[in-house]
């Protein structure tokens, strides 16, 4: 019941946002019945349907090819909708300012025109030319003033005006000649758009350009692959022999309908280029089943690290068949740590299942992973979600390596991520335990990252005895 209510609220919100975007970008800027109005209206119905299809096709078991067809336009539209809405909301503040500026400009232009007309009238009045108002007398001999009997003057009969003849069709259509030059008819001035229409087009166009450019920039960030970051973490219990031990931390690869085998190969090549001592894959490896994505994950077999590559589950593994994926990554040469621990030279490396596994009875078990260890040794914990940091503190963990947050992925999503996670990205301390959160190497949903670039982090452990 609660899920259905939330779904209805989300659908209503999406409908309202689409209506607002359509009105500002289409309804306010195009003429009724125009081609642009029709195209914009069709897009306002088709694009959200593609987005719903992209989000649900995998969950309902649609063929993988259909998931791929829907994923690109559907998820990209979600990102575009977000940034178009933000840009249009900013435009609501620009709109009245621009109208006021235009009104002042038009008023100033009208004042200048009035001043010019007034000056011309004054110049005409003071130029010395007066209109002739006296009666005109027809030319002719002046009447004699010496005649004794003056004869009264009578006006000659008026000649009848000639009747207008019908226009000559040949003359009417004949081209003008030198003897009868043609006169150009005055051109009809183009209608200027109203001030409101002009402002709507300027603000809407600027918002569309800003929103779509942002999405394009964020998509390029994802497709270009993650960058390498390096962080040094001092551990009080780390022996001098383990000083400088390097762990390549990668999370949230999100192999799926959009990011496939080439994405995995790019990440593996980047990790290997850092020459790490150990690789830690801390969850959310995939968005789909082994049957659909097993081949896309195969490049993981090429990871190279002298102390091995380790894997813990994330919440998305439990949407995709966690048990099958654990078995598959084991076949690829990775070592799954399912609430388990291994002893490395100088520290303990532990891993716990993601809390999403609790629905399947496979949640995190800190007692099993850390309960019987020697606390005189340093402990490094792999856990997908940062929220388990307080359990790590209670079990004496020195360093927890996590992902899950994507660093917010889409600004201003980082502010929402801060509400749900103790740390969104980077290194922070909680008591005697340090928590490092990776922004991840892939993207979930829209293949777009804005303000949260993808990364692979080389964590170098430092001994305070060195």
């Amino acid at each position: 019941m609660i899920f259905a209510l939330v779904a209805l609220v989300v659908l209503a919100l999406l409908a309202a946002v689409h209506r607002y975007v359509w009105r500002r970008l289409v309804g306010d800027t195009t003429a009724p019945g125009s081609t642009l109005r029709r195209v914009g209206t069709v897009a306002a119905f088709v694009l959200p349907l593609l987005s719903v299809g992209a989000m649900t096709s995998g969950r309902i078991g649609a063929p993988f090819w259909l998931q791929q067809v829907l994923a690109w336009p559907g998820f990209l539209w979600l990102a575009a909708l977000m940034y178009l809405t933000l840009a249009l909301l900013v435009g609501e503040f620009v709109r009245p300012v621009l109208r006021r500026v235009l009104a002042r400009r038009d008023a100033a232009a009208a004042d200048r025109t009035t001043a010019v007309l007034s000056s011309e009238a004054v110049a005409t009045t003071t130029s010395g030319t007066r209109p002739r108002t006296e009666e005109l007398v027809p030319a002719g001999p002046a009447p004699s003033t010496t005649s004794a009997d003056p004869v009264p003057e009578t006006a000659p009969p008026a000649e009848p005006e000639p009747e207008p003849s019908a226009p000559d069709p040949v003359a009417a259509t004949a081209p003008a000649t030198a003897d009868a030059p043609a006169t150009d008819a005055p051109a009809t001035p183009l209608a200027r758009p109203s001030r409101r229409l002009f402002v709507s087009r300027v603000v809407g166009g600027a918002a569309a350009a800003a929103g779509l450019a942002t999405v394009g920039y964020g998509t390029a960030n994802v497709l270009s692959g993650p960058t390498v970051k390096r962080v040094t973490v001092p551990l009080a219990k780390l022996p001098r022999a383990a000083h400088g031990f390097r762990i390549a931390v990668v999370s949230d690869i999100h192999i799926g309908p959009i990011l496939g085998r080439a994405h995995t190969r790019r990440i593996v090549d980047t990790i290997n280029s850092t020459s790490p001592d150990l690789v830690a894959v801390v969850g959310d490896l995939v968005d789909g089943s082994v049957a659909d994505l097993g081949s896309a994950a195969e490049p993981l077999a090429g990871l190279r690290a002298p102390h091995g590559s380790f894997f813990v589950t994330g919440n998305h593994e439990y949407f995709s068949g966690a048990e099958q994926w654990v078995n598959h990554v084991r076949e690829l040469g990775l070592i799954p740590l399912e609430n388990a621990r291994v002893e490395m030279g100088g520290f303990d490396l532990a891993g716990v299942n993601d809390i999403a596994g609790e629905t399947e009875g496979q949640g995190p078990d800190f007692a099993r992973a850390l309960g019987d260890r020697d606390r005189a040794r340093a402990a490094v914990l792999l856990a997908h979600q940062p929220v388990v940091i307080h359990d790590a503190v209670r079990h004496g963990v020195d360093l927890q390596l996590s992902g899950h947050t994507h660093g917010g992925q889409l600004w201003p999503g980082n502010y929402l991520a801060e509400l749900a996670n103790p740390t969104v990205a980077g290194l922070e301390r909680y008591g005697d335990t340090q928590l490092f959160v990776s922004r991840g190497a892939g993207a979930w949903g829209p293949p777009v990252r804005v303000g949260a670039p993808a990364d692979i982090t080389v964590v170098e452990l430092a001994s305070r005895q060195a």
Side-chain angles (χ1 to χ4, degrees):
M1 179 65 182
I2 296 178
F3 176 78
L5 182 61
V6 171
L8 287 175
V9 171
V10 171
L11 288 176
L13 180 62
L14 283 176
V17 171
H18 278 87
R19 169 66 181 172
Y20 169 71
V21 171
W22 176 89
R23 183 167 65 87
R24 284 307 192 199
L25 293 184
V26 180
D28 290 350
T29 61
T30 61
S34 65
T35 301
L36 288 177
R37 172 73 65 92
R38 294 192 185 99
V39 171
T41 302
V42 170
F45 283 95
V46 172
L47 290 172
L49 291 178
L50 290 174
S51 297
V52 172
M55 291 186 291
T56 59
S57 58
R59 302 292 178 88
I60 65 177
F64 188 64
W65 66 265
L66 181 58
Q67 297 179 40
Q68 290 177 303
V69 168
L70 295 173
W72 271 106
F75 283 125
L76 278 178
W77 171 243
L78 288 178
L81 178 66
M82 172 181 170
Y83 286 110
L84 286 173
T85 303
L86 290 175
L88 288 170
L89 290 175
V90 173
E92 297 298 338
F93 297 95
V94 177
R95 192 180 298 270
V97 175
L98 184 55
R99 280 202 298 261
R100 191 174 298 113
V101 169
L102 292 176
R104 290 178 178 174
R105 186 195 66 178
D106 293 345
D111 291 342
R112 287 195 299 270
T113 302
T114 302
V116 170
L117 293 176
S118 299
S119 62
E120 290 179 352
V122 171
T124 302
T125 303
T126 59
S127 63
T129 304
R130 293 186 304 168
R132 298 180 61 186
T133 59
E134 54 271 10
E135 182 182 356
L136 298 179
V137 178
S144 174
T145 59
T146 61
S147 173
D149 297 321
V151 179
E153 184 178 352
T154 59
E159 296 183 2
E161 296 182 0
E163 295 183 1
S165 61
D168 185 356
V170 176
T173 58
T177 63
D179 294 335
T183 58
D184 294 334
T188 303
L190 296 176
R192 292 181 58 188
S194 66
R195 186 183 303 150
R196 180 177 181 179
L197 178 60
F198 177 77
V199 170
S200 295
R201 288 177 174 176
V202 169
V203 174
L212 296 179
T214 301
V215 173
Y217 165 78
T219 303
N221 281 343
V222 172
L223 298 182
S224 62
T227 58
V228 176
K229 293 176 56 179
R230 298 180 185 274
V231 176
T232 299
V233 181
L235 299 180
K237 301 176 185 176
L238 189 72
R240 182 180 300 177
H243 179 75
F245 192 95
R246 289 164 299 157
I247 303 174
V249 181
V250 60
S251 73
D252 302 281
I253 297 175
H254 286 288
I255 304 169
I258 293 179
L259 302 175
R261 187 183 181 96
H263 173 64
T264 310
R265 168 55 60 191
R266 187 163 49 240
I267 289 172
V268 168
D269 291 344
T270 302
I271 292 173
N272 288 342
S273 69
T274 66
S275 301
D277 297 304
L278 182 148
V279 177
V281 182
V282 289
D284 277 8
L285 172 65
V286 293
D287 286 309
S289 67
V290 172
D292 291 334
L293 299 174
S295 61
E298 287 177 356
L300 293 173
L303 287 171
R304 297 288 179 263
H307 294 272
S309 300
F310 294 85
F311 169 78
V312 293
T313 57
N315 54 309
H316 282 248
E317 272 70 61
Y318 293 97
F319 306 148
S320 308
E323 184 177 354
Q324 292 83 358
W325 275 111
V326 167
N327 292 332
H328 189 63
V329 298
R330 185 180 287 113
E331 293 171 357
L332 296 176
L334 281 73
I335 303 170
L337 291 176
E338 299 181 274
N339 298 321
R341 180 181 77 253
V342 294
E343 293 186 359
M344 311 299 296
F347 65 95
D348 294 337
L349 180 69
V352 293
N353 295 342
D354 187 71
I355 56 179
E358 292 175 348
T359 59
E360 302 179 11
Q362 299 176 6
D365 188 338
F366 288 87
R368 178 180 169 188
L370 298 162
D372 59 348
R373 74 177 193 87
D374 180 4
R375 291 207 174 192
R377 290 170 55 86
V380 176
L381 173 68
L382 308 184
H384 178 63
Q385 298 197 38
V387 293
V388 301
I389 182 61
H390 304 295
D391 293 295
V393 172
R394 284 193 294 270
H395 286 83
V397 170
D398 298 276
L399 173 63
Q400 175 179 319
L401 302 175
S402 297
H404 182 65
T405 67
H406 295 213
Q409 185 170 329
L410 297 169
W411 182 92
N414 54 303
Y415 298 112
L416 296 177
E418 288 176 357
L419 300 177
N421 297 277
T423 298
V424 174
L427 183 67
E428 292 186 356
R429 176 177 290 276
Y430 295 83
D432 293 331
T433 303
Q434 297 181 79
L435 169 64
F436 177 78
V437 180
S438 169
R439 290 189 177 93
W444 178 76
V448 181
R449 279 181 173 267
V450 178
D455 64 53
I456 294 168
T457 304
V458 177
V459 176
E460 183 172 336
L461 305 182
S463 172
R464 293 183 176 175
Q465 305 171 17

